[in-house]
Each structure stands twice: as structure tokens, then as C-alpha cells.
Amino acid sequence: MKKLFENWIKTIQIEVQPTSMGIMLRQHKYTLDILCRAGMSSCKPVDTPTSSSKLFMLFGSMFSDPIRFCQIIGVL
């Protein structure tokens, strides 16, 4: 059972980090992988919600390729 759980954790790319209060589950590496796929690894975070015109300026080129857009959305 433990081996099955460990394989499941690796599949969904969850990092288990022990803390003084218990454990913390993170998907930091998975998130970075998605940002790299989208060509956004050097982007800075923004407050949400944001205006849709800003989103179009940022992601306009990604929306022009529906296959790439579906691949990025599919991993979410």
C-alpha cells in the first residue's frame, strides 16, 4: 500500500514536506513546469482579478495557436 501511495504522489507531482505542525503538500515543481511550457517562467505575478485587456496583451500570442492553448489548459 505504501508503494502504491508513493507512486501516486510521484504521478501527480506532489511534494511532501514535513513541518513542525505535520506535513505540507506542495506542487511547486509541477507549477514551474506549466509556466515553462507556456513560456512564462520569467513572468512576474499579478494581483487578481485583473482586467481582461491585460490578459489579452499577455496571452494574445498563445490564444492564436489553439493546440498549444489546449495543451496548457489540459494540464491544469
Side-chain angles (χ1 to χ4, degrees):
M1 184 68 157
K2 182 179 178 182
K3 186 71 171 168
L4 180 64
F5 179 73
E6 289 172 356
N7 288 339
W8 180 73
I9 291 292
K10 288 178 185 175
T11 301
I12 59 172
Q13 299 184 18
I14 291 181
E15 301 166 56
V16 180
Q17 183 177 24
T19 68
S20 60
M21 297 174 60
I23 62 169
M24 181 170 67
L25 303 177
R26 298 177 5 148
Q27 287 187 296
H28 184 76
K29 290 178 186 174
Y30 184 65
T31 304
L32 290 177
D33 181 47
I34 293 171
L35 291 171
C36 286
R37 285 186 193 185
M40 299 177 61
S41 58
S42 63
C43 292
K44 296 180 182 177
V46 297
D47 292 331
T48 57
T50 187
S51 71
S52 58
S53 62
K54 285 183 182 178
L55 285 176
F56 183 75
M57 289 184 332
L58 292 171
F59 301 114
S61 62
M62 190 184 324
F63 291 138
S64 64
D65 182 1
I67 293 173
R68 183 169 178 232
F69 177 76
C70 289
Q71 288 173 339
I72 299 299
I73 296 301
V75 298
L76 299 175

